[in-house]
């Protein structure tokens, strides 16, 4: 039989070559400003980490993102100083790119480049979802001419009133045991000294489902304490259909989130503290801690009117007295602005006398900053000299100091819950906070004795000594 020849084999076409995958960039993020900005930074970090490597030291990074604060002149000066420092690293060849985001980016846009040449992209708050696209462009743009005409050079929306949604997927920079939960964005209060609505937009609430989803994610990641923040926390829900109870109706659901041990209210506006909210502060303890941060700004009615605040001296006193009467053990933190245009010595002394009389446990005082694009900046003369403002801040804080010391002494002998923060580098002692102390701004508890606890644990302790603003305590047996 004739031999059968093998069938010819067709050659397979060569597989297309895969484009080499770009090496993840090393990205450093510098966060400036308030806790609201910190939350934005955590959102940025979470998105950047999906495609790149987060770098702790900006000097080791390929690209640095500076998340700026633009609220008052000192904050802008700090932001510009950091931007210029990063621009110098870039000019020296130590960075490939520099991205500026946040409040000052939203407020100034292209003007930032006049103040700090070397910026590759200015990113407004509504555009954070584009951060990885911007980083790719910054790293791959071929030359200066291409960069100069690129649309990603300035991504700043004219209207800062962007939609508010759950800020999940954050890469947190706070310790694991506490977190900030932003429940709304923007502000409608129209205080004459404040520029926030010009770059954060008008008030809009984060939907209930989004707030709860975020709270659940934060608690699942180890946060025992959630600090509720906004430009005006107490206005939450006013713009949401079916949320007539407002913040008071949200708090029970937040308190029910598995793992949450403390809820703290920051940035409450006096005119929006409802009777329902006061009852929630009373009835939801210990989950809702007996603490309220409520910036009052002044107590003289004429000054309050010039500031655009919607309450008088008498209304403020009535609210504070109601809070003291109805919420047992309540600790009140407030802040005041001194040196506002037209503030007389008599009006300032009225404020000092009020602080001495009412005995707030926590007080902060700030000199007035004459801001452009604000009613006060446009219509009032900045007529209180800087040295007088500084002297008034000092006098007000001197009046407050013995009151704060008295509060610390009043804790001696009491058993309190303490959230352990860590170990003091100088003494080697554990430090923590009581329910009466907000993170980063309030005093600490120094923990003595033989018993130990891990950072991030909620423990029981007995206060044994007052030391200025702080107290010393010993752990009790579990």
């Amino acid at each position: 039989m004739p031999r059968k020849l093998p069938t010819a084999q067709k050659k397979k076409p060569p597989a297309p070559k895969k484009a080499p995958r770009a090496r993840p960039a090393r990205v450093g993020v510098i966060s400036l400003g308030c806790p609201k900005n910190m939350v934005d930074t955590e959102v940025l970090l979470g998105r950047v980490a999906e495609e790149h490597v987060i770098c702790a030291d900006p000097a080791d990074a390929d690209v640095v993102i500076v998340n700026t604060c633009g609220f008052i002149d000192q904050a802008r000066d700090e932001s510009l100083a950091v931007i210029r420092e990063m621009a110098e690293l870039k000019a020296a060849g130590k960075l490939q790119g520099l991205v500026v985001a946040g409040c000052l980016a939203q407020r100034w846009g292209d003007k930032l480049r006049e103040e700090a040449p070397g910026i590759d992209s200015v990113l407004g708050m509504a555009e954070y979802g584009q951060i990885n696209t911007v980083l790719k462009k910054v790293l791959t743009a071929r030359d200066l001419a291409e960069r100069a005409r690129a649309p990603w050079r300035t991504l700043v929306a004219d209207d800062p009133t962007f939609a508010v949604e759950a800020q999940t997927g954050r890469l947190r920079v706070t310790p694991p045991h506490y977190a900030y939960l932003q429940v709304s964005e923007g502000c409608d209060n129209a205080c004459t000294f404040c520029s926030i609505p010009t770059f954060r937009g008008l008030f809009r609430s984060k939907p209930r489902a989004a707030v709860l989803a975020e709270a659940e994610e934060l608690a699942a990641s180890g946060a025992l304490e959630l600090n509720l923040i906004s430009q005006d926390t107490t206005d939450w829900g006013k713009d949401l259909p079916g949320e007539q109870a407002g913040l008071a109706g949200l708090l029970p659901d937040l308190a029910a989130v598995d793992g949450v041990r403390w809820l703290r209210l920051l940035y409450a506006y006096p005119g929006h503290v409802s009777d329902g909210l006061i009852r929630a502060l009373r009835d939801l303890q210990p989950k809702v801690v007996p603490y309220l941060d409520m910036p009052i700004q002044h107590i003289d009615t004429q000054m309050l009117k010039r500031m655009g605040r919607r309450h008088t001296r008498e209304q403020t006193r009535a609210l504070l007295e109601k809070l003291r009467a109805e919420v047992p053990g309540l600790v009140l933190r407030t802040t005041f602005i001194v040196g506002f245009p037209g503030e007389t010595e008599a009006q300032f002394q009225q404020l000092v006398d009020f602080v001495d009389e009412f005995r707030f446990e926590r007080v902060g005082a700030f000199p007035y900053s004459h801001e452009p694009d604000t009613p006060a900046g446009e219509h009032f003369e900045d007529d209180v000299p800087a040295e007088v403002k500084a002297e008034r801040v000092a006098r007000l804080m001197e009046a407050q100091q013995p009151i704060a010391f008295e509060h610390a002494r009043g804790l001696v002998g009491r058993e309190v819950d303490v959230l352990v923060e860590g170990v003091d580098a100088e003494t080697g002692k554990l430090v923590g906070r009581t329910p009466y102390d907000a993170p980063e701004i309030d005093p600490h508890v120094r923990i003595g004795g033989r018993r130990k606890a891990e950072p991030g644990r909620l423990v029981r302790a007995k206060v044994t000594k007052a030391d200025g603003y702080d107290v010393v305590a010993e752990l009790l047996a579990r």
Side-chain angles (χ1 to χ4, degrees), residues 216-293:
E216 289 165 359
E217 181 178 276
L218 293 169
S221 70
L224 303 179
E225 174 187 14
L226 298 182
N227 296 279
L228 273 57
I229 58 171
S230 297
Q231 277 73 44
D232 177 2
T233 307
T234 40
D235 233 4
W236 181 86
K238 74 170 188 178
D239 54 336
L240 297 177
E243 294 289 358
Q244 290 87 355
L247 184 63
L250 177 67
L251 286 175
D253 287 349
L254 285 171
V257 171
D258 189 36
V260 172
R261 302 291 296 278
W262 287 355
L263 288 168
R264 187 183 306 279
L265 303 186
L266 305 177
Y267 309 112
Y269 185 81
H272 301 150
V273 177
S274 66
D275 288 345
L277 183 57
I278 294 173
R279 287 193 295 271
L281 281 166
R282 179 192 67 205
D283 297 341
L284 293 175
Q285 293 186 37
K287 281 286 187 77
V288 176
V289 298
Y291 180 104
L292 186 64
D293 168 56

Coordinates of all heavy atoms in Angstrom, one line a residue, residues 216-293:
E216 N -20.7 51.4 59.0 CA -20.5 50.0 59.1 C -19.1 49.6 58.6 O -18.4 48.8 59.2 CB -21.5 49.2 58.3 CG -22.9 49.3 59.0 CD -24.0 48.9 58.1 OE1 -23.8 48.5 56.9 OE2 -25.2 48.9 58.5
E217 N -18.6 50.2 57.5 CA -17.3 49.9 57.0 C -16.2 50.4 58.0 O -15.2 49.7 58.3 CB -17.1 50.6 55.7 CG -15.7 50.3 55.1 CD -15.5 51.0 53.7 OE1 -15.9 50.3 52.7 OE2 -14.9 52.1 53.7
L218 N -16.4 51.6 58.6 CA -15.4 52.1 59.6 C -15.4 51.2 60.8 O -14.3 50.9 61.3 CB -15.8 53.5 60.0 CG -15.6 54.6 58.8 CD1 -16.2 55.9 59.2 CD2 -14.2 54.7 58.4
A219 N -16.6 50.8 61.3 CA -16.6 49.9 62.5 C -16.0 48.6 62.2 O -15.2 48.0 63.0 CB -18.0 49.8 63.0
A220 N -16.2 48.0 61.0 CA -15.6 46.7 60.6 C -14.1 46.8 60.6 O -13.4 45.8 60.8 CB -16.2 46.3 59.3
S221 N -13.6 48.0 60.3 CA -12.1 48.2 60.2 C -11.5 48.5 61.6 O -10.3 48.7 61.7 CB -11.8 49.3 59.2 OG -12.1 50.6 59.8
G222 N -12.3 48.4 62.6 CA -11.8 48.6 64.0 C -12.1 49.8 64.7 O -11.7 50.0 65.9
A223 N -12.9 50.8 64.1 CA -13.2 52.0 64.8 C -14.2 51.8 65.8 O -15.4 51.5 65.5 CB -13.6 53.1 63.7
L224 N -13.8 52.0 67.1 CA -14.8 52.0 68.2 C -15.5 53.3 68.4 O -16.6 53.4 68.9 CB -14.0 51.7 69.5 CG -13.2 50.4 69.6 CD1 -12.6 50.3 71.0 CD2 -14.1 49.2 69.3
E225 N -14.8 54.4 68.0 CA -15.4 55.7 68.1 C -15.6 56.4 66.8 O -14.6 56.4 66.0 CB -14.4 56.6 69.0 CG -14.8 58.0 69.1 CD -13.7 58.9 69.8 OE1 -12.6 58.4 69.9 OE2 -14.0 60.0 70.2
L226 N -16.8 56.9 66.5 CA -17.1 57.6 65.3 C -17.3 59.1 65.7 O -18.2 59.3 66.5 CB -18.3 57.1 64.5 CG -18.1 55.6 64.0 CD1 -19.4 55.2 63.3 CD2 -16.9 55.4 63.2
N227 N -16.6 60.0 65.1 CA -16.8 61.4 65.4 C -17.5 62.0 64.2 O -17.0 62.1 63.1 CB -15.4 62.1 65.6 CG -14.7 61.5 66.8 OD1 -14.9 62.0 67.9 ND2 -13.8 60.6 66.6
L228 N -18.7 62.5 64.4 CA -19.6 63.0 63.3 C -19.1 64.5 63.0 O -19.1 65.3 63.9 CB -21.0 63.0 63.7 CG -21.8 61.7 63.4 CD1 -21.1 60.5 64.0 CD2 -23.2 61.7 63.8
I229 N -18.8 64.7 61.8 CA -18.3 66.0 61.4 C -19.1 66.5 60.1 O -19.7 65.7 59.4 CB -16.8 66.0 61.1 CG1 -16.5 65.0 60.0 CG2 -16.0 65.7 62.3 CD1 -15.1 65.1 59.5
S230 N -19.1 67.8 59.9 CA -19.6 68.5 58.8 C -19.3 70.0 59.0 O -18.8 70.4 60.0 CB -21.2 68.4 58.7 OG -21.5 67.0 58.5
Q231 N -19.7 70.8 58.0 CA -19.7 72.2 58.3 C -20.8 72.6 59.3 O -20.6 73.5 60.1 CB -19.9 73.0 57.0 CG -18.6 73.3 56.2 CD -18.1 72.0 55.5 OE1 -19.0 71.3 54.9 NE2 -16.9 71.7 55.6
D232 N -21.9 71.8 59.2 CA -23.0 72.0 60.2 C -23.7 70.7 60.4 O -24.6 70.3 59.7 CB -24.0 73.0 59.6 CG -25.2 73.2 60.6 OD1 -25.3 72.6 61.6 OD2 -26.1 74.0 60.2
T233 N -23.1 69.9 61.4 CA -23.6 68.6 61.6 C -25.1 68.6 62.0 O -25.9 67.7 61.6 CB -22.8 67.9 62.8 OG1 -21.4 68.0 62.5 CG2 -23.2 66.5 63.0
T234 N -25.6 69.5 62.7 CA -26.9 69.5 63.3 C -28.0 69.8 62.2 O -29.2 69.6 62.5 CB -27.1 70.6 64.4 OG1 -26.4 71.8 64.0 CG2 -26.5 70.1 65.7
D235 N -27.6 70.2 61.0 CA -28.6 70.4 59.9 C -28.8 69.1 59.1 O -29.6 69.2 58.1 CB -28.1 71.5 59.0 CG -29.1 72.6 58.9 OD1 -30.2 72.5 59.5 OD2 -28.9 73.6 58.1
W236 N -28.2 68.0 59.5 CA -28.3 66.8 58.6 C -29.8 66.5 58.4 O -30.6 66.5 59.4 CB -27.6 65.6 59.3 CG -27.7 64.4 58.4 CD1 -26.9 64.1 57.4 CD2 -28.8 63.4 58.4 NE1 -27.4 62.9 56.8 CE2 -28.5 62.5 57.4 CE3 -29.9 63.3 59.2 CZ2 -29.4 61.4 57.1 CZ3 -30.7 62.2 59.0 CH2 -30.5 61.3 57.9
G237 N -30.1 66.1 57.2 CA -31.4 65.6 56.9 C -32.5 66.6 56.5 O -33.5 66.2 55.9
K238 N -32.1 67.9 56.6 CA -33.2 68.9 56.3 C -33.5 68.9 54.8 O -34.6 69.3 54.5 CB -32.7 70.3 56.7 CG -31.6 70.9 55.8 CD -31.3 72.4 56.1 CE -30.4 73.0 55.1 NZ -30.2 74.4 55.4
D239 N -32.6 68.4 54.0 CA -32.9 68.5 52.5 C -33.2 67.1 52.0 O -33.3 66.9 50.8 CB -31.7 69.0 51.8 CG -30.4 68.3 52.2 OD1 -30.3 67.7 53.3 OD2 -29.4 68.3 51.4
L240 N -33.4 66.1 52.9 CA -33.7 64.7 52.4 C -35.2 64.4 52.6 O -35.7 64.6 53.8 CB -32.9 63.7 53.2 CG -31.3 63.8 53.0 CD1 -30.6 62.8 53.9 CD2 -31.0 63.6 51.5
P241 N -35.9 63.9 51.6 CA -37.3 63.5 51.8 C -37.5 62.5 52.9 O -36.7 61.5 53.0 CB -37.7 63.0 50.4 CG -36.7 63.5 49.5 CD -35.4 63.7 50.3
G242 N -38.4 62.7 53.8 CA -38.7 61.7 54.8 C -37.8 61.7 56.0 O -37.9 60.8 56.8
E243 N -37.0 62.7 56.1 CA -36.1 62.8 57.3 C -36.4 63.9 58.2 O -35.6 64.7 58.6 CB -34.6 63.0 56.8 CG -34.1 61.8 56.0 CD -33.8 60.6 56.8 OE1 -34.0 60.7 58.0 OE2 -33.3 59.6 56.2
Q244 N -37.7 64.0 58.6 CA -38.2 65.1 59.4 C -37.5 65.1 60.8 O -37.3 66.2 61.4 CB -39.7 65.0 59.6 CG -40.5 65.3 58.4 CD -40.7 64.0 57.5 OE1 -40.2 62.9 57.8 NE2 -41.5 64.1 56.5
A245 N -37.1 64.0 61.3 CA -36.4 63.9 62.6 C -35.0 64.4 62.6 O -34.4 64.7 63.7 CB -36.5 62.5 63.2
G246 N -34.4 64.5 61.4 CA -33.1 65.0 61.3 C -32.0 64.2 62.0 O -32.2 63.0 62.1
L247 N -31.0 64.8 62.5 CA -29.9 64.1 63.1 C -30.4 63.3 64.3 O -29.8 62.2 64.5 CB -28.8 65.1 63.6 CG -27.5 64.6 64.2 CD1 -26.8 63.7 63.1 CD2 -26.6 65.7 64.7
A248 N -31.3 63.8 65.0 CA -31.9 63.0 66.2 C -32.4 61.7 65.8 O -32.4 60.7 66.5 CB -32.9 63.8 66.9
G249 N -33.0 61.6 64.5 CA -33.5 60.4 64.0 C -32.4 59.4 63.4 O -32.7 58.2 63.3
L250 N -31.3 60.0 63.1 CA -30.2 59.2 62.6 C -29.4 58.5 63.7 O -28.8 57.4 63.5 CB -29.3 60.1 61.7 CG -28.0 59.5 61.1 CD1 -28.4 58.4 60.0 CD2 -27.1 60.5 60.5
L251 N -29.2 59.2 64.8 CA -28.3 58.8 65.8 C -28.7 57.3 66.4 O -27.7 56.5 66.6 CB -28.3 59.8 67.0 CG -27.5 61.0 66.7 CD1 -27.7 62.0 67.9 CD2 -26.1 60.8 66.4
P252 N -29.9 57.0 66.6 CA -30.2 55.6 67.0 C -29.7 54.5 66.1 O -29.2 53.5 66.5 CB -31.7 55.6 67.2 CG -32.1 57.0 67.4 CD -31.2 57.8 66.5
D253 N -29.8 54.8 64.8 CA -29.3 53.8 63.8 C -27.8 53.7 63.8 O -27.2 52.6 63.7 CB -29.8 54.2 62.4 CG -31.3 53.9 62.2 OD1 -31.9 53.2 63.0 OD2 -31.8 54.4 61.2
L254 N -27.1 54.9 64.0 CA -25.7 54.8 64.1 C -25.3 54.1 65.4 O -24.3 53.4 65.4 CB -25.1 56.3 64.1 CG -25.1 56.9 62.7 CD1 -24.7 58.4 62.8 CD2 -24.2 56.2 61.7
A255 N -26.0 54.4 66.5 CA -25.6 53.7 67.7 C -25.8 52.2 67.7 O -25.2 51.5 68.4 CB -26.5 54.3 68.8
A256 N -26.7 51.7 66.7 CA -26.9 50.3 66.6 C -25.9 49.6 65.7 O -25.9 48.4 65.6 CB -28.3 50.1 66.1
V257 N -25.0 50.3 65.1 CA -24.0 49.7 64.2 C -23.1 48.8 65.0 O -22.5 49.3 66.0 CB -23.2 50.8 63.4 CG1 -22.0 50.2 62.7 CG2 -24.1 51.5 62.4
D258 N -22.9 47.6 64.6 CA -22.1 46.6 65.4 C -20.7 47.1 65.5 O -20.0 47.4 64.5 CB -22.2 45.3 64.6 CG -21.5 44.2 65.5 OD1 -21.7 44.2 66.7 OD2 -20.9 43.3 64.9
G259 N -20.2 47.1 66.7 CA -18.8 47.5 66.9 C -18.6 49.0 67.4 O -17.6 49.3 67.9
V260 N -19.6 49.8 67.2 CA -19.5 51.2 67.6 C -19.7 51.3 69.1 O -20.7 50.9 69.6 CB -20.5 52.1 66.8 CG1 -20.5 53.5 67.4 CG2 -20.1 52.2 65.3
R261 N -18.8 51.9 69.8 CA -18.9 52.1 71.2 C -19.2 53.6 71.6 O -19.9 53.9 72.6 CB -17.7 51.6 72.0 CG -17.3 50.2 71.7 CD -18.3 49.2 72.3 NE -18.3 49.3 73.7 CZ -17.4 48.7 74.6 NH1 -16.5 47.9 74.0 NH2 -17.5 48.8 75.9
W262 N -18.6 54.5 70.8 CA -18.8 55.9 71.1 C -19.2 56.7 69.8 O -18.6 56.5 68.8 CB -17.5 56.6 71.6 CG -17.1 56.3 73.0 CD1 -17.8 55.5 73.9 CD2 -15.9 56.7 73.7 NE1 -17.1 55.4 75.1 CE2 -15.9 56.1 75.0 CE3 -14.8 57.4 73.3 CZ2 -14.9 56.3 75.9 CZ3 -13.8 57.6 74.2 CH2 -13.8 57.1 75.5
L263 N -20.2 57.6 70.0 CA -20.5 58.5 68.9 C -20.3 59.9 69.5 O -20.8 60.2 70.6 CB -21.9 58.3 68.4 CG -22.3 57.1 67.6 CD1 -23.8 56.9 67.5 CD2 -21.6 57.2 66.2
R264 N -19.6 60.8 68.7 CA -19.4 62.1 69.2 C -19.8 63.1 68.2 O -19.6 63.0 67.0 CB -17.9 62.3 69.5 CG -17.5 63.6 70.2 CD -16.0 63.7 70.3 NE -15.4 62.5 71.0 CZ -15.4 62.3 72.3 NH1 -15.9 63.3 73.1 NH2 -14.9 61.3 72.9
L265 N -20.5 64.2 68.6 CA -21.0 65.2 67.7 C -20.1 66.5 67.7 O -19.9 67.1 68.8 CB -22.4 65.7 68.2 CG -23.5 64.6 68.2 CD1 -24.8 65.2 68.5 CD2 -23.5 63.7 67.0
L266 N -19.5 66.8 66.6 CA -18.7 67.9 66.4 C -19.3 68.9 65.4 O -20.1 68.5 64.5 CB -17.3 67.5 65.9 CG -16.5 66.5 66.7 CD1 -15.2 66.1 66.0 CD2 -16.3 67.0 68.1
Y267 N -19.0 70.2 65.5 CA -19.5 71.2 64.6 C -21.0 71.4 64.6 O -21.7 71.4 63.6 CB -19.0 71.0 63.2 CG -17.5 70.8 63.1 CD1 -17.0 69.5 62.8 CD2 -16.6 71.8 63.4 CE1 -15.6 69.3 62.7 CE2 -15.2 71.6 63.3 CZ -14.7 70.4 63.0 OH -13.4 70.1 62.9
A268 N -21.6 71.5 65.8 CA -23.0 71.8 65.9 C -23.3 73.3 65.8 O -22.6 74.1 66.5 CB -23.5 71.2 67.3
Y269 N -24.3 73.6 65.1 CA -24.7 75.0 64.9 C -25.7 75.4 66.0 O -26.7 74.7 66.0 CB -25.2 75.3 63.5 CG -25.5 76.8 63.2 CD1 -24.4 77.6 62.9 CD2 -26.8 77.3 63.3 CE1 -24.7 79.0 62.6 CE2 -27.0 78.6 63.0 CZ -26.0 79.5 62.7 OH -26.2 80.8 62.4
P270 N -25.5 76.4 66.8 CA -26.5 76.7 67.9 C -27.9 76.8 67.4 O -28.8 76.2 68.1 CB -26.0 78.0 68.5 CG -24.6 78.1 68.1 CD -24.4 77.4 66.8
G271 N -28.2 77.4 66.3 CA -29.6 77.6 65.9 C -30.3 76.3 65.4 O -31.5 76.3 65.2
H272 N -29.5 75.2 65.3 CA -30.1 74.0 64.8 C -30.1 72.8 65.8 O -30.3 71.7 65.4 CB -29.4 73.6 63.5 CG -29.4 74.6 62.4 ND1 -28.4 74.8 61.5 CD2 -30.4 75.5 62.1 CE1 -28.8 75.8 60.7 NE2 -29.9 76.2 61.1
V273 N -29.8 73.2 67.1 CA -29.9 72.1 68.1 C -31.3 72.0 68.6 O -31.8 72.8 69.3 CB -28.9 72.5 69.3 CG1 -29.1 71.5 70.4 CG2 -27.5 72.6 68.8
S274 N -32.0 70.9 68.1 CA -33.4 70.8 68.4 C -33.6 70.1 69.7 O -32.7 69.5 70.3 CB -34.0 69.9 67.3 OG -33.5 68.6 67.3
D275 N -34.9 70.1 70.2 CA -35.2 69.4 71.4 C -35.0 67.9 71.2 O -34.6 67.2 72.2 CB -36.7 69.7 71.8 CG -36.9 71.1 72.3 OD1 -35.9 71.8 72.6 OD2 -38.1 71.6 72.3
G276 N -35.3 67.4 70.0 CA -35.1 66.0 69.7 C -33.7 65.6 69.9 O -33.3 64.5 70.4
L277 N -32.8 66.5 69.4 CA -31.3 66.2 69.5 C -30.9 66.2 70.9 O -30.1 65.4 71.4 CB -30.5 67.2 68.7 CG -29.0 67.0 68.6 CD1 -28.7 65.6 68.1 CD2 -28.4 68.1 67.8
I278 N -31.4 67.2 71.7 CA -31.1 67.2 73.2 C -31.5 65.9 73.8 O -30.8 65.3 74.6 CB -31.7 68.4 73.8 CG1 -31.1 69.7 73.3 CG2 -31.6 68.4 75.3 CD1 -31.8 71.0 73.7
R279 N -32.7 65.4 73.5 CA -33.2 64.1 74.1 C -32.3 63.0 73.7 O -32.0 62.1 74.5 CB -34.6 63.9 73.7 CG -35.7 64.8 74.4 CD -37.1 64.3 74.1 NE -37.5 64.4 72.7 CZ -38.0 65.5 72.2 NH1 -38.3 66.5 72.9 NH2 -38.4 65.5 70.9
A280 N -31.8 63.0 72.4 CA -31.0 61.9 71.9 C -29.6 62.0 72.7 O -29.1 60.9 73.0 CB -30.7 62.1 70.4
L281 N -29.1 63.1 72.9 CA -27.9 63.2 73.7 C -28.1 62.7 75.1 O -27.1 62.1 75.7 CB -27.4 64.7 73.8 CG -26.7 65.3 72.6 CD1 -26.7 66.8 72.7 CD2 -25.3 64.7 72.5
R282 N -29.3 62.8 75.6 CA -29.5 62.3 77.0 C -29.8 60.8 77.0 O -29.3 60.1 77.8 CB -30.8 63.1 77.6 CG -31.2 62.6 78.9 CD -32.6 63.2 79.3 NE -33.6 62.7 78.4 CZ -34.7 63.3 78.1 NH1 -35.0 64.5 78.6 NH2 -35.6 62.8 77.3
D283 N -30.7 60.4 76.0 CA -31.2 59.0 76.1 C -30.3 58.0 75.5 O -30.5 56.8 75.8 CB -32.6 59.0 75.5 CG -33.6 59.9 76.2 OD1 -33.4 60.2 77.4 OD2 -34.6 60.2 75.5
L284 N -29.4 58.4 74.6 CA -28.6 57.4 73.9 C -27.2 57.2 74.5 O -26.3 56.6 74.0 CB -28.4 57.8 72.4 CG -29.7 57.7 71.6 CD1 -29.5 58.3 70.2 CD2 -30.3 56.3 71.5
Q285 N -27.0 57.8 75.7 CA -25.8 57.5 76.4 C -25.8 56.1 76.9 O -26.8 55.5 77.2 CB -25.7 58.4 77.7 CG -25.5 59.9 77.3 CD -25.2 60.8 78.6 OE1 -24.5 60.3 79.5 NE2 -25.8 62.0 78.6
P286 N -24.6 55.4 76.9 CA -23.3 55.9 76.7 C -22.8 55.8 75.3 O -21.7 56.3 75.0 CB -22.4 55.0 77.6 CG -23.1 53.7 77.5 CD -24.6 54.0 77.5
K287 N -23.6 55.3 74.4 CA -23.2 55.2 73.0 C -22.9 56.6 72.4 O -21.9 56.9 71.8 CB -24.2 54.5 72.1 CG -24.2 53.0 72.2 CD -23.0 52.4 71.5 CE -23.0 50.8 71.5 NZ -23.9 50.3 70.5
V288 N -23.9 57.5 72.6 CA -23.7 58.9 72.2 C -23.1 59.6 73.5 O -23.8 59.7 74.5 CB -25.0 59.6 71.8 CG1 -24.7 61.1 71.5 CG2 -25.6 58.9 70.5
V289 N -21.8 59.9 73.4 CA -21.1 60.4 74.6 C -21.7 61.8 75.0 O -22.1 62.6 74.1 CB -19.6 60.5 74.3 CG1 -19.0 59.1 74.1 CG2 -19.2 61.4 73.2
P290 N -21.6 62.1 76.3 CA -22.1 63.4 76.7 C -21.1 64.5 76.4 O -20.5 65.1 77.3 CB -22.3 63.2 78.3 CG -21.3 62.2 78.6 CD -21.2 61.3 77.4
Y291 N -21.1 64.9 75.2 CA -20.1 65.8 74.7 C -20.7 66.5 73.5 O -21.3 65.8 72.6 CB -18.8 65.1 74.3 CG -17.7 66.0 73.7 CD1 -16.6 66.3 74.5 CD2 -17.7 66.5 72.4 CE1 -15.5 67.1 74.0 CE2 -16.6 67.2 71.9 CZ -15.6 67.5 72.7 OH -14.5 68.3 72.3
L292 N -20.6 67.8 73.4 CA -21.1 68.6 72.3 C -20.1 69.7 71.9 O -19.8 70.5 72.8 CB -22.5 69.1 72.5 CG -23.2 69.8 71.4 CD1 -23.5 68.8 70.3 CD2 -24.5 70.5 71.8
D293 N -19.7 69.7 70.7 CA -18.8 70.8 70.2 C -19.7 71.7 69.4 O -20.3 71.4 68.4 CB -17.7 70.2 69.2 CG -17.0 71.3 68.5 OD1 -16.5 72.2 69.1 OD2 -17.0 71.2 67.2

